[in-house]
Amino acid sequence: MDAKTASLKVAKAVRAGIAAMLLPVFFLYILLDKPDYKIMNAMSGVVVPAARLVGNGITWPVRALGTLGRNISERANVRRENAELRMKLDALIAAQTECMALLGENQRLEQALDMVRLLPKKSVMARIVFENSAFSSHTFILDKGENSAVATGQAVISKNGYLAGVVTQTGVEYAHVRGVTDVGANTPVRVAGSDVLGFLRGRGNADPVFEMFSDQEFSPTNGIMLLTSSVGGNLPDGIPIGRIKDASSGKSATVEAGAKTMSDAVVLIYK
């Protein structure tokens, strides 16, 4: 479309607009000065639509502003509702987190209660006063000793019921313990729910290894629980130690020890 054609169309639109604005004036002139009902009836079909069109054009900004105001108000309401819903959601999440924390604490207490039920008639709760877990070592010292009937060879368990180590030396009011992950530890173990025996070899900071299976056809599987074995008479049977973590080699498997960093431990007095 060239400039001349465009200008003609604009001029035509302007003339139509002017005519539409003058028609209501002409209609009022006839109505007031020369009331001819035939002419009025004939023109009503043109004047009224033209007047409506002009009125719509004049009032469009007002209607547009009104629509914009309603949209702004609705958006503000939506934002307020979203903020309220977000607050409610945050409160629900906080409540859920608190419930999960309480559930975890309840499970921990149930485990502690089960451990107390399974303990021998005599046991000693002791505090760990020193721990050495550097490099290949994992040993610690307890604040209870011979005065509390603690003796060498006794099992030491964590508060969650897993074997933490074995007493290797005692004094009047202290005891040295070698942890199950210490490089010098070689603990006889049994696969839970079976008669398959083996040894758990400590590797210091690395995960201990379950090896030397009594059943050559046994294939270790991730997640299997290992328990202490009474073979050799050094430990009671059935104390949990940990679960197999990686059994990909087939001939041996790394184990995740159940006893973690502790501040207290329990010595089982079997002798």
Side-chain angles (χ1 to χ4, degrees), residues 22-118:
L22 292 176
L23 280 174
V25 178
F26 180 64
F27 182 73
L28 290 173
Y29 169 73
I30 294 174
L31 179 63
L32 298 174
D33 189 52
K34 297 179 180 180
D36 188 337
Y37 294 104
K38 291 182 179 181
I39 297 176
M40 292 169 56
N41 290 333
M43 292 183 63
S44 62
V46 177
V47 174
V48 172
R52 184 181 295 113
L53 180 62
V54 173
N56 289 340
I58 294 173
T59 60
W60 175 83
V62 177
R63 289 185 285 108
L65 289 175
T67 302
L68 179 61
R70 288 193 298 272
N71 290 338
I72 293 174
S73 177
E74 291 177 359
R75 182 179 292 272
N77 291 335
V78 170
R79 288 181 177 176
R80 185 176 63 255
E81 292 176 357
N82 285 343
E84 293 176 355
L85 291 175
R86 172 59 61 182
M87 292 177 61
K88 292 180 180 179
L89 179 60
D90 291 342
L92 289 174
I93 292 175
Q96 182 185 27
T97 302
E98 184 178 358
C99 288
M100 293 178 65
L102 292 175
L103 180 61
E105 180 66 13
N106 184 56
Q107 292 175 346
R108 187 188 68 78
L109 292 175
E110 287 181 353
Q111 289 177 351
L113 180 60
D114 291 340
M115 183 196 70
V116 171
R117 291 170 179 169
L118 294 174

Side-chain angles (χ1 to χ4, degrees), residues 111 115 128 131 133 137-140 142 155-166 177-182 187 200 204-208 225-228 239-244 255-266:
Q111 289 177 351
M115 183 196 70
I128 298 174
E131 183 174 7
S133 57
S137 299
H138 181 210
T139 60
F140 49 93
L142 304 178
V156 179
I157 64 175
S158 61
K159 290 193 294 185
N160 62 346
Y162 285 85
L163 181 69
V166 177
V177 179
R178 173 182 290 149
V180 293
T181 61
D182 186 85
T187 309
L200 186 72
N205 290 333
D207 290 324
M225 173 69 76
L226 298 181
L227 311 174
T228 57
I239 301 174
I241 292 183
R243 294 184 181 275
I244 293 179
V255 176
E256 182 177 6
K260 305 298 182 182
T261 302
M262 309 171 296
S263 59
D264 300 297
V266 178

